[in-house]
Amino acid sequence: MVWDVLSVCGWPIAGSREEPPKAPRVTLIQEQSGVDGSFLLAMLMTNHLKRSTDNHVLLLAANHSAAHYTAACQKLTFNTASAIQSGHLCIVDVLAELYAGGGRLNGPELLQLISDRLSGEPSKSNTLVIVDDLTFYITMQLTNGENVVIDFVEQLLNTASQDHFVLKVNVSECYERFCTFLVDMADVIVTLEPLPSGSFRELDGILTVHRKQSTYPLMSAVREQSKTLLYKVQDRMVRTYVHGEVGIKNL
């Protein structure tokens, strides 16, 4: 059985004939050690750009290089070169900026870099902003890093005019307070974790989605029943399974 990952995450699908749901404003991707969530970011990017010629994507990449995401989108049969040339896709390679800075850039300057890039986007309609990975900016702060990034994210979500945000974070006990803050701010939470039984050729990990109850928008703790899928990343698609399917009953 194949479930569409993006529809499970609450995102409208490009080319779907059904009435599209309203895309969540803040999607949080929590990535545990042993899995790589960049495939989901590539799917969100290409889907958003395919949905409308008026849509734009700004990707701030610190966990992987810009070339990594370009290659991932091309595997999904999306022409990133054309999208970049037309201005619909902008990828900021934070690690490349850090290297080019010759050691002159530190935590505050990197956060200012994000702010400067975002300030150039308000005139573009339907912009999806993707930040990968927020914990990187905490490690770049010499002192009080967690509080600095919390303040930055809060200000970003409260003041920015962009329509949608996807925030990716590497889950760790040392960032528990930061992750709790992000969970409170998110409309949809996607958790990626490895298989508890170890590696398995047919599967890459477990994907769990929690959505905020639209009936109680001010109560972040009240969420819809979670959906859990097993997934396998393939070249041009992500294949999903539910627990108990033939061949994977014991996982």
Side-chain angles (χ1 to χ4, degrees):
M1 180 178 184
V2 178
W3 288 55
D4 190 286
V5 173
L6 296 184
S7 63
V8 172
C9 296
W11 278 82
I13 308 302
S16 175
R17 296 182 179 180
E18 298 179 1
E19 182 68 23
K22 183 179 180 181
R25 184 169 188 264
V26 182
T27 300
L28 172 64
I29 300 175
Q30 299 186 116
E31 173 190 275
Q32 295 189 5
S33 298
V35 292
D36 185 358
S38 60
F39 75 91
L40 188 52
L41 298 187
M43 293 177 69
L44 286 166
M45 290 166 55
T46 57
N47 179 71
H48 185 71
L49 291 172
K50 287 178 179 179
R51 283 181 55 218
S52 172
T53 55
D54 292 330
N55 287 354
H56 298 80
V57 171
L58 171 63
L59 169 63
L60 299 147
N63 193 36
H64 292 289
S65 66
H68 173 90
Y69 285 106
T70 299
C73 291
Q74 287 174 342
K75 283 187 176 182
L76 296 173
T77 66
F78 184 78
N79 188 347
T80 52
S82 176
I84 292 173
Q85 186 175 8
S86 65
H88 286 83
L89 172 62
C90 177
I91 302 178
V92 180
D93 195 327
V94 177
L95 296 179
E97 297 272 0
L98 192 63
Y99 178 80
R104 295 188 299 273
L105 293 176
N106 53 33
E109 283 79 9
L110 286 176
L111 292 178
Q112 186 59 47
L113 171 67
I114 296 178
S115 298
D116 292 343
R117 295 295 178 134
L118 288 173
S119 64
E121 296 296 317
S123 60
K124 297 181 178 180
S125 61
N126 303 321
T127 300
L128 170 64
V129 179
I130 302 176
V131 184
D132 177 27
D133 160 7
L134 277 169
T135 49
F136 169 81
Y137 301 97
I138 295 179
T139 61
M140 292 299 296
Q141 303 288 333
L142 296 178
T143 58
N144 209 23
E146 193 172 45
N147 289 334
V148 170
V149 179
I150 285 176
D151 291 342
F152 172 78
V153 173
E154 192 169 31
Q155 181 181 2
L156 179 69
L157 298 181
N158 288 336
T159 61
S161 60
Q162 280 75 17
D163 296 306
H164 307 288
F165 292 86
V166 176
L167 309 176
K168 183 164 160 287
V169 64
N170 193 338
V171 178
S172 173
E173 289 184 2
C174 61
Y175 302 127
E176 184 176 359
R177 176 170 166 266
F178 180 62
C179 291
T180 300
F181 161 76
L182 293 176
V183 166
D184 288 340
M185 301 292 287
D187 300 305
V188 174
I189 304 165
V190 183
T191 302
L192 300 170
E193 54 188 325
L195 299 169
S197 57
S199 60
F200 184 51
R201 186 181 61 182
E202 301 300 326
L203 296 171
D204 289 327
I206 303 172
L207 181 148
T208 304
V209 179
H210 297 264
R211 296 193 205 176
K212 184 181 293 184
Q213 275 278 18
S214 57
T215 310
Y216 307 100
L218 300 179
M219 299 177 63
S220 60
V222 179
R223 300 187 181 274
E224 295 180 5
Q225 186 175 0
S226 62
K227 294 182 176 65
T228 301
L229 300 174
L230 305 172
Y231 70 90
K232 174 66 178 178
V233 180
Q234 299 176 333
D235 277 348
R236 296 189 178 183
M237 67 175 294
V238 176
R239 188 170 181 83
T240 59
Y241 307 85
V242 295
H243 286 274
E245 285 194 51
V246 175
I248 56 173
K249 290 181 179 180
N250 296 324
L251 296 177

